[in-house]
């Protein structure tokens, strides 16, 4: 999982794999990510042992394979990795929902914005997130500096920021879902054309 999460950062991968406490502090909710991965492996093992017909049909097992032996072929691992990559975004979405809820709770004026001071104070108190610099937030388009209330973090822009993508590779990203996409799809379906 560390290789997949960090992509081509060989130095970072080596550092994290060599230091468990650093891994747990650097990767948000590492224990849950590891449990998710182990759950995918246990699912494969369960299918092999208890549902051999279904395991053959879904290519979770192959003819002649002893389901009681915990050995995995290349095809087994390929299927596991494919399953993880297909389902990880929905697993990670709970983290996005939690982040959005935390930010919305800080938005006492219901403007979709959080005062920058409140944003940073939550990072000092309990949140592992919310530590990006002002200049980085500005570059993301997540910092509103025009309000008479002072500098504020724009909640949807922050949630959609690249810094909130847990997986980033040259082929795809695993980021927080954009709440507007579902609404746009519904409008497009009603109108009968793309917006």
């Amino acid at each position: 999982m560390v290789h997949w999460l960090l992509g081509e950062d060989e130095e970072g991968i080596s550092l994290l794999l060599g230091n468990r406490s650093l891994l747990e502090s650097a990767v948000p909710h590492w224990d849950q990510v590891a449990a998710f991965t182990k759950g995918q492996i246990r699912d494969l093992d369960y299918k092999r042992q208890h549902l051999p017909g279904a395991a053959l049909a879904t290519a979770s097992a192959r003819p002649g394979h002893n389901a009681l032996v915990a050995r995995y072929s290349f095809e087994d691992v390929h299927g596991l990795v494919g399953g993880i990559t297909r389902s990880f975004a929905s697993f990670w979405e709970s983290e996005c929902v939690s982040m959005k809820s935390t930010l919305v709770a800080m938005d006492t004026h219901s403007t979709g914005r959080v005062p920058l001071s409140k944003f940073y104070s939550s990072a000092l108190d309990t949140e592992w997130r919310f530590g990006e610099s002002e200049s980085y937030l500005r570059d993301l388009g997540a910092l509103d500096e025009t309000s008479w209330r002072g500098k504020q973090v724009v909640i949807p822009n922050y949630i959609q920021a690249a810094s909130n993508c847990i997986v980033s590779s040259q082929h795809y990203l695993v980021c927080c879902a954009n709440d507007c996409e579902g609404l746009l799809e519904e409008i497009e379906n009603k109108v009968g054309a793309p917006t």
Side-chain angles (χ1 to χ4, degrees):
M1 281 302 286
V2 173
H3 287 268
W4 182 59
L5 292 171
L6 294 183
E8 297 178 18
D9 182 3
E10 293 298 327
E11 184 179 347
I13 291 167
S14 179
L15 281 171
L16 293 180
L17 291 177
N19 185 337
R20 176 79 180 187
S21 61
L22 180 61
L23 173 63
E24 291 171 357
S25 67
V27 178
H29 305 290
W30 172 251
D31 55 337
Q32 294 173 11
V33 171
F36 169 78
T37 305
K38 289 175 186 168
Q40 297 286 314
I41 295 168
R42 283 193 299 269
D43 180 56
L44 172 67
D45 292 340
Y46 179 86
K47 285 178 184 172
R48 285 179 165 176
Q49 293 174 8
H50 300 286
L51 306 167
L56 285 170
T58 62
S60 300
R62 54 195 182 286
H65 181 261
N66 182 349
L68 300 176
V69 176
R71 297 183 91 179
Y72 304 101
S73 68
F74 176 81
E75 290 80 16
D76 296 333
V77 175
H78 187 265
L80 276 170
V81 169
I84 289 169
T85 58
R86 280 188 302 278
S87 59
F88 190 77
S90 60
F91 164 79
W92 190 251
E93 188 60 23
S94 64
E95 184 60 33
C96 297
V97 169
S98 170
M99 177 176 30
K100 180 180 176 183
S101 296
T102 301
L103 290 168
V104 168
M106 289 189 263
D107 178 15
T108 54
H109 300 290
S110 300
T111 60
R113 289 161 169 70
V114 175
L116 188 61
S117 59
K118 199 179 274 192
F119 178 81
Y120 284 137
S121 69
S122 70
L124 294 173
D125 294 339
T126 58
E127 280 294 326
W128 56 268
R129 304 170 282 231
F130 312 150
E132 294 89 345
S133 69
E134 274 188 52
S135 62
Y136 185 71
L137 291 170
R138 188 177 301 111
D139 290 345
L140 291 173
L143 185 62
D144 177 5
E145 299 177 275
T146 63
S147 173
W148 61 271
R149 290 188 171 115
K151 296 177 183 178
Q152 299 181 14
V153 176
V154 181
I155 295 173
N157 294 10
Y158 179 77
I159 290 173
Q160 293 299 301
S163 58
N164 292 316
C165 297
I166 187 70
V167 176
S168 180
S169 78
Q170 67 182 41
H171 302 293
Y172 63 91
L173 302 170
V174 175
C175 305
C176 296
N178 184 338
D179 292 340
C180 295
E181 286 181 16
L183 296 172
L184 282 174
E185 182 179 352
E186 190 175 328
I187 291 169
E188 289 171 354
N189 287 338
K190 295 288 184 194
V191 172
T195 55

